[in-house]
Amino acid sequence: MKGCRGIENPAFVASSPDTPRRLCASPSNVEVSVLSTNTRREDSQPQEPQDPQKSPEPPLSSVTPAGSQERPRPESLSEFEEGPCGWGTFQPQCLQRCNTPQGFLFHYCLLALTQGIVVNGLVNISISTIEKRYEMKSSLTGLISSSYDISFCLLSLFVSFFGERGHKPRWLAFASFMIGLGALVFSLPKFFSGRYQLGSLFEDTCLTPKNRTSCTTSSSSLFNYLYVFILGQLLLGVGGTPLYTLGTAFIDDSVPTHKSSLYIGIGYSMSVLGPAVGYVLGGQLLTLYIDVDLGQSTDITEDDPRWLGAWWIGFLMSWFLAWSLIIPFSCFPKHLPGTAEIQDGKTSQAHQSNSLQNTDGNFGQSFKDFPAALKNLMRNTVFMCLVLSTCSEALVTTGFATFLPKFIENQFGLSSSSAATLGGAVLVPGAALGQILGGVLVSKFKMTCKNIMKFALLTSVIALTLSFVFLYANCENEPFAGVSESYNRTGELGNLTAPCNANCHCLRSYYYPLCGGDGVQYFSPCYAGCTNSVSKRHPKVYYNCSCIERKIELTPTPSGFAFEAKAGKCPTRCANLPIFLVIFFATIVFTFMAGTPITVSILRCVNHKQRSLALGIQCMLLRILGTIPGPIIFGITIDSTCILWDINECGIKGACWIYNNIRMAHMLVAISVTCKVITIFFIGFAIFLYKPPPSGTDVPFLDQNTVVTTVPLECDLKKIGNED
């Protein structure tokens, strides 16, 4: 007992068995004073202990006797309005089975899945079809894609601030309504733009009397539908804001601390699976003709450049799915049964700093508190470091999600569809597995806030090491006529036109790769000098090609001719694809293993009543510094490795057709390593700066603004005995 100067109030010791209780003497012989933040300045002098018999009600300074099983409950627990599941007086018993954290998580996962299907799945896979149908440039469709992030950024702070004290399940019901409405609005141009009119088939072979397309610019009335698509994306952004701020905070409210990471990880993994479902669903629907609802049939197939698929059906399906979740979310109470008891058992792990402003119980109930709340979080250095680390991760992950199929297509000579399939098969399962694994491990070992950050640091370091896979799994460019290989020792490198195709009047804006019998790839059948083709065979074959050197015996076709080339890229001689996919899958898993732990760390290092606003700030900065500039930076970097551009009849540069594979791999490694180093730096800095609450002063979440003081005692057993 020597050296013991005081004792903490056991009323503020968490009920968790993991928390050590440090008692120096019998509680019945110790007096503790508790000062709220509102009275700390007024009552600067030590108060005399009150006589319990003179007070009509027990004072706060009295301590529960050692033999008592009762534990004082903070007055602020009354703010948790627990209730049954239902609407008003209609509370059927069958609904109460869903009035649990598991029931809420189930519906949260469905909404996150729906949001992922629409925003990151159907929109992305439909962009190319929308460009062709409504005659839009890629820059305009890029504006459509970014409209979601713009809406999210503008609303995330306000929704998270005002929704913290509101009815969070009803906010999610509103989110379901807006996501469904956004999906419906996005599909409306299909029903107001009329039937799709097929144009004439483009002739891809070499024909001397070819009519060249003149350089004309004209605006189409279909351009006005751009604003409808933007409106749909803005509505989707409004719906996505409560989902990832208030929904996450509600889950954290409703489960014990050690289970929070598991539940959040499961919910976030569904948002990752959503895009995969969207891509698969959208890909299947694009095999249907665009006007299938009008009963219109066509003789063209998917191989025809004029083919457009039924992109709009998936949005209608998502509309019904999102609106079907409005009723379930609206029936949940403001807080699930048992929330108050769970909150009473939690202890604060918020970062302790002199620069942070103390707040009273009424803080955050009016708009005038918004600037102070925002300033308070921005001055939390640990929180800001964690947010900046997620921004760096978001930049690199969204960049790879956008351009990984392009990398695989160019490096390993695959078709666009095959590259997209492989990219999705690596990214989606890896991301989902990483999210769940991170949540499971944090929950299994019941990590504290600092240990969670250390775990995230470890996984980020492993992901950094694996990022160097691009240096060892790249492939050199295959021979390409006019780019890296000459036309039978004629023509110049860098020029697709040679004496063998000079009279064909080929269009450089029409890229249709062709593999010649000489093992050289050609830009199009026209640039290969082919005059005839057999379209009934798959792949389509060409013959009578003046630019292809006949080094091998030609294979005769059923019509008696011999083909010299076939549609598609030449088979690659690079065998690094399996190695690349395996290592990159591991990289994705370890990258996303840090996602859930970082989110949980953010929830732990801030004041309990500011968690939703903290998530709102994270989501806003994550998009401003991560998801919005990420694809732009990756796109500029990849374009810098281009060696053959699309130039139309007007001389305007378009898309890139051929890239330098080795340089592209090196540039992607540079971006990945830079972002990973930034992530590791900020997580490590957060660990260094983090100051947990003093050990022994385990204040529950609901009393984070209460200051626990101890009265110095001389731990002398004889003196204590005399006082008795």
Side-chain angles (χ1 to χ4, degrees):
M1 304 296 292
K2 292 182 179 181
C4 183
R5 298 182 178 178
I7 181 170
E8 290 79 15
N9 188 347
F12 291 98
V13 178
S15 61
S16 173
D18 303 324
T19 305
R21 297 175 180 265
R22 304 189 303 159
L23 303 180
C24 303
S26 174
S28 60
N29 299 311
V30 179
E31 295 180 353
V32 180
S33 63
V34 181
L35 306 178
S36 67
T37 55
N38 297 332
T39 61
R40 188 189 312 172
R41 296 181 179 178
E42 299 175 1
D43 304 330
S44 59
Q45 300 296 329
Q47 296 181 354
E48 294 292 334
Q50 299 178 0
D51 187 355
Q53 297 179 354
K54 297 180 181 180
S55 177
E57 54 185 46
L60 289 175
S61 60
S62 61
V63 182
T64 305
S68 175
Q69 299 296 326
E70 296 182 1
R71 179 184 177 192
R73 292 169 60 87
E75 294 180 1
S76 54
L77 279 176
S78 60
E79 71 181 46
F80 288 95
E81 301 174 8
E82 301 176 2
C85 190
W87 304 271
T89 58
F90 181 71
Q91 301 167 356
Q93 189 63 31
C94 60
L95 292 181
Q96 308 316 312
R97 298 180 179 179
C98 299
N99 199 22
T100 61
Q102 295 83 1
F104 180 84
L105 179 64
F106 173 76
H107 293 91
Y108 177 88
C109 288
L110 288 180
L111 184 58
L113 180 69
T114 305
Q115 187 267 350
I117 289 174
V118 179
V119 175
N120 298 317
L122 294 176
V123 171
N124 292 341
I125 202 171
S126 302
I127 282 296
S128 60
T129 304
I130 292 174
E131 284 182 1
K132 297 176 184 178
R133 177 64 182 92
Y134 299 98
E135 302 175 10
M136 297 180 185
K137 298 180 181 179
S138 296
S139 58
L140 296 178
T141 54
L143 177 60
I144 294 175
S145 299
S146 61
S147 298
Y148 173 85
D149 290 322
I150 294 173
S151 175
F152 202 111
C153 290
L154 292 177
L155 296 175
S156 59
L157 293 182
F158 300 100
V159 170
S160 58
F161 178 76
F162 292 107
E164 171 60 34
R165 291 182 176 270
H167 198 296
K168 294 184 180 71
R170 291 179 183 172
W171 273 97
L172 292 186
F174 170 75
S176 302
F177 174 78
M178 297 306 295
I179 290 175
L181 181 62
L184 174 63
V185 170
F186 202 92
S187 66
L188 289 181
K190 162 65 182 70
F191 304 101
F192 294 96
S193 57
R195 290 177 179 266
Y196 170 56
Q197 302 296 328
L198 289 172
S200 58
L201 181 63
F202 180 81
E203 183 60 49
D204 57 359
T205 55
C206 176
L207 298 177
T208 303
K210 184 188 295 286
N211 293 326
R212 293 186 60 87
T213 305
S214 59
C215 177
T216 58
T217 57
S218 60
S219 59
S220 171
S221 60
L222 297 175
F223 172 82
N224 294 327
Y225 289 107
L226 168 69
Y227 305 108
V228 180
F229 291 120
I230 291 178
L231 175 61
Q233 280 284 74
L234 292 176
L235 295 175
L236 289 170
V238 174
T241 304
L243 177 63
Y244 295 109
T245 54
L246 303 180
T248 304
F250 186 84
I251 292 176
D252 189 56
D253 274 339
S254 306
V255 296
T257 301
H258 67 278
K259 290 185 178 180
S260 177
S261 59
L262 176 62
Y263 280 65
I264 294 175
I266 294 174
Y268 280 13
S269 66
M270 296 303 294
S271 66
V272 174
L273 290 176
V277 177
Y279 270 95
V280 173
L281 176 63
Q284 294 299 316
L285 293 175
L286 289 180
T287 61
L288 302 176
Y289 189 61
I290 187 172
D291 289 327
V292 65
D293 59 315
L294 302 177
Q296 183 177 357
S297 60
T298 180
D299 295 332
I300 65 174
T301 62
E302 297 177 51
D303 296 329
D304 194 301
R306 298 171 295 172
W307 173 273
L308 293 182
W311 60 271
W312 50 275
I313 297 180
F315 290 93
L316 293 182
M317 297 172 64
S318 302
W319 165 44
F320 286 113
L321 180 58
W323 278 15
S324 67
L325 296 173
I326 296 177
I327 294 179
F329 277 119
S330 63
C331 75
F332 280 104
K334 185 175 182 179
H335 295 282
L336 298 178
T339 299
E341 182 178 356
I342 290 174
Q343 294 299 312
D344 191 18
K346 291 183 177 180
T347 57
S348 171
Q349 301 181 48
H351 171 57
Q352 305 297 304
S353 175
N354 295 330
S355 62
L356 300 182
Q357 175 185 354
N358 290 316
T359 57
D360 57 23
N362 297 323
F363 184 80
Q365 294 184 351
S366 64
F367 181 76
K368 65 180 182 180
D369 295 330
F370 177 74
L374 192 62
K375 180 181 179 181
N376 201 33
L377 284 173
M378 299 293 282
R379 295 170 66 180
N380 188 327
T381 53
V382 174
F383 164 70
M384 291 305 301
C385 285
L386 293 175
V387 169
L388 292 176
S389 71
T390 61
C391 294
S392 176
E393 286 293 271
L395 189 148
V396 69
T397 52
T398 54
F400 274 117
T402 305
F403 292 101
L404 180 63
K406 180 185 287 290
F407 176 82
I408 296 176
E409 175 185 353
N410 288 274
Q411 289 286 333
F412 305 106
L414 301 180
S415 64
S416 299
S417 58
S418 299
T421 302
L422 284 177
V426 171
L427 283 171
V428 176
L433 180 61
Q435 292 277 17
I436 295 177
L437 273 179
V440 168
L441 292 176
V442 170
S443 176
K444 177 70 174 178
F445 295 101
K446 299 181 180 180
M447 300 181 188
T448 61
C449 183
K450 194 164 191 175
N451 289 335
I452 292 174
M453 289 188 283
K454 291 180 179 179
F455 173 77
L457 180 65
L458 174 63
T459 58
S460 298
V461 170
I462 297 175
L464 170 63
T465 305
L466 295 174
S467 297
F468 288 95
V469 63
F470 292 96
L471 293 178
Y472 304 103
N474 54 62
C475 304
E476 294 185 357
N477 292 77
E478 298 295 330
F480 197 106
V483 178
S484 60
E485 192 84 6
S486 63
Y487 288 93
N488 297 333
R489 294 173 296 278
T490 62
E492 299 177 357
L493 293 182
N495 189 359
L496 295 177
T497 303
C500 61
N501 58 27
N503 296 325
C504 295
H505 304 291
C506 304
L507 297 177
R508 188 168 170 174
S509 58
Y510 182 76
Y511 179 52
Y512 192 79
L514 192 73
C515 183
D518 54 357
V520 178
Q521 185 172 312
Y522 295 85
F523 187 84
S524 68
C526 180
Y527 277 106
C530 302
T531 57
N532 300 94
S533 64
V534 178
S535 58
K536 294 182 179 180
R537 296 190 56 179
H538 187 77
K540 188 177 181 180
V541 296
Y542 298 84
Y543 49 93
N544 293 339
C545 303
S546 59
C547 294
I548 299 178
E549 184 178 1
R550 302 184 181 183
K551 294 182 180 180
I552 59 176
E553 184 179 353
L554 302 180
T555 304
T557 62
S559 59
F561 296 98
F563 75 88
E564 303 170 14
K566 59 181 180 180
K569 297 180 179 179
C570 293
T572 181
R573 291 183 286 270
C574 180
N576 294 335
L577 179 60
I579 300 176
F580 170 78
L581 293 178
V582 171
I583 300 180
F584 191 75
F585 177 81
T587 306
I588 294 298
V589 171
F590 281 101
T591 296
F592 279 85
M593 278 181 69
T596 300
I598 290 297
T599 301
V600 174
S601 299
I602 289 174
L603 293 172
R604 297 288 172 265
C605 75
V606 300
N607 188 286
H608 176 72
K609 295 180 180 180
Q610 292 187 304
R611 292 169 310 144
S612 296
L613 182 59
L615 292 176
I617 294 175
Q618 181 205 17
C619 291
M620 182 191 71
L621 294 179
L622 185 140
R623 279 161 174 78
I624 294 177
L625 302 178
T627 59
I628 294 178
I632 298 175
I633 294 175
F634 267 73
I636 295 174
T637 303
I638 291 177
D639 282 346
S640 67
T641 67
C642 181
I643 55 179
L644 182 64
W645 289 93
D646 167 27
I647 300 179
N648 62 14
E649 295 75 23
C650 301
I652 300 176
K653 183 186 294 186
C656 179
W657 297 130
I658 308 296
Y659 296 91
N660 185 322
N661 289 348
I662 302 298
R663 189 181 177 191
M664 179 192 291
H666 290 173
M667 296 296 287
L668 291 183
V669 168
I671 296 179
S672 301
V673 170
T674 301
C675 291
K676 289 295 181 183
V677 169
I678 294 174
T679 298
I680 293 172
F681 170 78
F682 280 115
I683 296 178
F685 200 44
I687 296 173
F688 174 77
L689 294 175
Y690 176 68
K691 295 180 181 179
S695 59
T697 57
D698 300 318
V699 182
F701 270 155
L702 301 176
D703 293 283
Q704 289 187 38
N705 299 317
T706 302
V707 177
V708 180
T709 61
T710 61
V711 179
L713 297 177
E714 297 292 338
C715 296
D716 189 344
L717 294 177
K718 294 181 179 180
K719 184 176 180 179
I720 296 176
N722 294 332
E723 291 178 357
D724 291 339

